[in-house]
Amino acid sequence: MASAAFDYSQWPPSLTDDQIGALTQHATTYALSHGLTYLPPSATQPPSPSSVIHAPISLLPSPIPRSLFERAQQLQSSYNILYARVAMDDDFLDKVMGAVEGVGKADEFVGTLWRGWKAIRDAGIVQPLHLGLFRSDYLLHTGGEDGTISLKQVEFNTISSSFGPLSERAAAMHRYLHALTNYYGVLPWLKSENFPLNDTTARLAEGLAEAHKAYGVPSAYILFVVQPNERNVFDQRWLEYELLEKHSIRVVRQTFEELASSATLDADTRILRLAIVPALSPSWSESSLEISTVYFRAGYVPSDYPTTTHYATRFTLERSRAIKCPTIPLQLAGGKKVQEFLSRPGVVEQFIRDTDARDTVTGAKDLRETWMSMWSLDDPNPPVAPADHAIRQCTDEPRGATYARALADSLVLKPQREGGGNNVYKQDIPPFLETLPMQDREAWIAMQLILPPQGVGSYLIRAGGSTPGLNGGNKTVRSETVSELGIFGWALFSRETGVRERGDAGWLVRTKGVESNEGGVAAGFSVLDSVVLVDG
């Protein structure tokens, strides 16, 4: 583990108002010029956007120990293989996430996906290959007994692992600001060799291109399944452009609503085709497009399935010969309950061994070192006294209330959801548990909170500040912050072929104010950031 040589409380370096104003102008102009952008908020987005805003960004990169950054990159290969193997273990997923034995009993969203997958595999799966574009998220943790800073995993994402292309551009923006201004010489850590390169766009596109190649029809398209009125469209478009320019692969984008009428399966071959109206797309001479790969940037939250037709469309795609990214079992493998189950004694060792040198650069012990304590809310013998036990104590004796508050301050409760804004933290836990029916508790896990370094700050910029002037209408705020590091990877795998994967496919940093428990950029909690490597 790294030593605590770097003084996090001295970050960020002090800048004058004039320096902040100049850097903000350079940063936001760069972002708008280089596609580090969002569509502006509105009730509906026009088919052809006519305006953009820059994505929420930080003015300076965030300090991360070099050894821990490199360690996170090394771990990604093992995590890719671990979750690929979990996704191929039907019995394990049935037990943990199924609607008969597992989480699906208590969580209707998970249960519906599992039942659809069960019906599909009972009928016979025609495409054995899975594609995963993954992201493993970490925080720095200061809770070690010896005072060292370590790397702890927040979660592992198996569906719609977003912000790869925009994170690459955020890193490039910080390198540009350093090259242009040297950040006014305010700190010796801010030098070019401490700004790591990030090539996420090419690496993620490589994974999609490998799936397309494995499908074996060069003229086929990759389908991006997207949410309606998507504001984070440019993060997706950069992958589309990379696929066309570097791999000569064309992309078509559709929502579940559109796919309900456009998608059909050949009865014999299960080839997935999309009906296309040529008048709407003059460059396409085809009346239908064959799909090689389905890349889901939607489908990870219940609101993406407002009707049974939306679920039926998802299952139509799943039954097809196209390669899915992810398949339903791979999506289920990313559930928080799986994360908790793997942390139990002897479980992760069923998938990754310490001596598994042929497949991985790290073993089960190395993965366990990145985990906080986790347990199920319905576990009768948890490793830490559960929060609902503390609530019961509150009714029995006065000191129980103090115990409950202290315990809740060390916990986060997580449901089986992605996208930010779903967790329950600290003092919100006791009243939440009082209203959570016992039969619903299996859908939640408890996790010991990670304790990031205190006193770290940053300058955060969001578009549309209310006061024009020094910052040109952009609101730049100095705030105490927490930064989350995400490492991307991909894997193409099946039982027949084994796992082909790329361990390090770039990285992401998201930074939020300490007052915010949640961390999603798209959900409005965080800004896009990058890394400055430090010692210790």
Side-chain angles (χ1 to χ4, degrees):
M1 297 299 177
S3 63
F6 181 80
D7 188 352
Y8 289 88
S9 66
Q10 297 303 305
W11 194 272
S14 295
L15 296 167
T16 68
D17 286 347
D18 286 342
Q19 290 169 340
I20 293 171
L23 287 170
T24 298
Q25 183 180 39
H26 292 311
T28 54
T29 303
Y30 183 96
L32 291 167
S33 301
H34 291 78
L36 181 49
T37 49
Y38 266 19
L39 289 178
S42 64
T44 59
Q45 297 292 345
S48 300
S50 58
S51 62
V52 297
I53 59 174
H54 66 78
I57 50 179
S58 67
L59 203 55
L60 290 96
S62 289
I64 294 179
R66 186 184 302 273
S67 61
L68 296 185
F69 180 76
E70 293 172 350
R71 185 59 170 164
Q73 293 175 311
Q74 293 168 353
L75 287 166
Q76 189 63 32
S77 182
S78 291
Y79 272 117
N80 291 347
I81 293 168
L82 169 62
Y83 278 88
R85 290 175 176 172
V86 168
M88 292 186 288
D89 193 324
D90 296 350
D91 292 341
F92 180 82
L93 286 178
D94 288 348
K95 177 180 179 180
V96 178
M97 299 296 283
V100 177
E101 300 180 66
V103 167
K105 292 186 301 182
D107 188 311
E108 182 59 26
F109 172 57
V110 172
T112 301
L113 289 177
W114 180 86
R115 285 188 292 270
W117 170 50
K118 179 69 163 56
I120 290 167
R121 75 182 202 237
D122 286 348
I125 292 174
V126 299
Q127 178 52 264
L129 283 168
H130 311 240
L131 175 65
L133 299 188
F134 301 135
R135 195 186 70 227
S136 185
D137 292 334
Y138 302 93
L139 289 172
L140 301 181
H141 179 57
T142 60
E145 293 182 0
D146 56 0
T148 59
I149 293 177
S150 58
L151 192 71
K152 294 297 181 180
Q153 188 184 62
V154 178
E155 62 184 359
F156 191 86
N157 301 275
T158 63
I159 183 169
S160 190
S161 302
S162 60
F163 291 111
L166 291 196
S167 68
E168 177 178 333
R169 283 149 185 82
M173 178 198 70
H174 285 145
R175 291 196 303 272
Y176 159 76
L177 291 176
H178 175 262
L180 181 69
T181 70
N182 193 33
Y183 279 111
Y184 306 106
V186 292
L187 206 66
W189 295 105
L190 292 167
K191 49 188 178 182
S192 58
E193 58 264 36
N194 292 336
F195 289 74
L197 295 176
N198 195 4
D199 58 353
T200 312
T201 308
R203 299 287 74 80
L204 293 180
E206 175 187 59
L208 289 164
E210 286 299 321
H212 177 86
K213 181 180 178 181
Y215 182 81
V217 180
S219 62
Y221 283 67
I222 291 180
L223 167 65
F224 283 19
V225 182
V226 298
Q227 294 172 325
N229 304 318
E230 173 65 75
R231 292 185 59 209
N232 188 28
V233 64
F234 301 103
D235 185 59
Q236 302 166 12
R237 289 289 190 181
W238 281 117
L239 288 175
E240 178 183 337
Y241 303 150
E242 182 79 11
L243 285 166
L244 183 61
E245 294 168 8
K246 301 295 175 60
H247 302 278
S248 299
I249 300 171
R250 295 172 292 178
V251 167
V252 58
R253 298 166 54 87
Q254 290 202 356
T255 65
F256 279 123
E257 191 84 23
E258 293 167 327
L259 289 165
S261 58
S262 69
T264 59
L265 297 185
D266 183 279
D268 297 323
T269 64
R270 299 281 187 89
I271 289 174
L272 174 63
R273 297 186 184 277
L274 303 188
I276 296 296
V277 180
L280 297 181
S281 301
S283 63
W284 291 337
S285 59
E286 306 99 326
S287 59
S288 68
L289 309 178
E290 182 173 353
I291 301 301
S292 70
T293 307
V294 182
Y295 175 42
F296 289 99
R297 292 296 291 258
Y300 53 87
V301 288
S303 59
D304 286 338
Y305 305 92
T307 70
T308 56
T309 300
H310 291 75
Y311 280 108
T313 300
R314 173 68 189 272
F315 300 146
T316 295
L317 301 179
E318 194 74 17
R319 288 197 305 272
S320 76
R321 190 170 293 279
I323 297 169
K324 274 71 66 178
C325 179
T327 57
I328 291 176
L330 187 52
Q331 179 176 347
L332 293 175
K336 305 302 184 293
K337 186 67 172 182
V338 169
Q339 185 183 13
E340 179 267 321
F341 219 90
L342 289 170
S343 73
R344 297 182 184 185
V347 177
V348 71
E349 288 80 5
Q350 298 173 21
F351 300 98
I352 292 285
R353 299 175 295 278
D354 286 326
T355 58
D356 210 358
R358 290 175 300 170
D359 293 330
T360 66
V361 295
T362 55
K365 180 176 180 291
D366 301 289
L367 299 184
R368 285 191 178 279
E369 288 179 352
T370 68
W371 297 341
M372 301 298 287
S373 295
M374 289 175 275
W375 61 96
S376 170
L377 291 188
D378 62 338
D379 187 345
N381 298 297
V384 181
D388 54 343
H389 172 67
I391 291 174
R392 288 195 296 272
Q393 278 199 320
C394 293
T395 64
D396 296 336
E397 50 185 324
R399 67 183 177 86
T402 302
Y403 172 71
R405 285 194 297 271
L407 179 61
D409 273 345
S410 69
L411 300 176
V412 54
L413 303 187
K414 296 184 176 185
Q416 313 304 308
R417 296 290 182 272
E418 304 298 335
N422 301 300
N423 299 336
V424 181
Y425 291 83
K426 299 182 179 180
Q427 291 306 308
D428 292 335
I429 292 175
F432 171 77
L433 285 176
E434 287 179 323
T435 65
L436 184 66
M438 289 299 297
Q439 65 270 21
D440 293 345
R441 296 193 176 199
E442 191 170 358
W444 292 76
I445 70 161
M447 177 174 158
Q448 196 173 3
L449 277 174
I450 303 169
L451 303 175
Q454 294 184 350
V456 187
S458 188
Y459 298 96
L460 312 181
I461 312 172
R462 289 184 171 87
S466 58
T467 305
L470 179 65
N471 293 336
N474 291 288
K475 187 175 183 180
T476 303
V477 176
R478 177 169 175 159
S479 177
E480 188 175 348
T481 56
V482 175
S483 295
E484 187 171 305
L485 171 67
I487 303 295
F488 291 97
W490 63 260
L492 182 66
F493 58 94
S494 72
R495 291 184 179 92
E496 293 78 9
T497 64
V499 183
R500 179 184 177 189
E501 55 85 31
R502 185 181 185 97
D504 172 21
W507 48 269
L508 158 74
V509 178
R510 293 169 294 175
T511 293
K512 64 181 180 181
V514 294
E515 71 282 354
S516 173
N517 287 317
E518 295 291 352
V521 177
F525 302 108
S526 299
V527 305
L528 293 171
D529 200 348
S530 75
V531 174
V532 57
L533 298 174
V534 299
D535 296 330

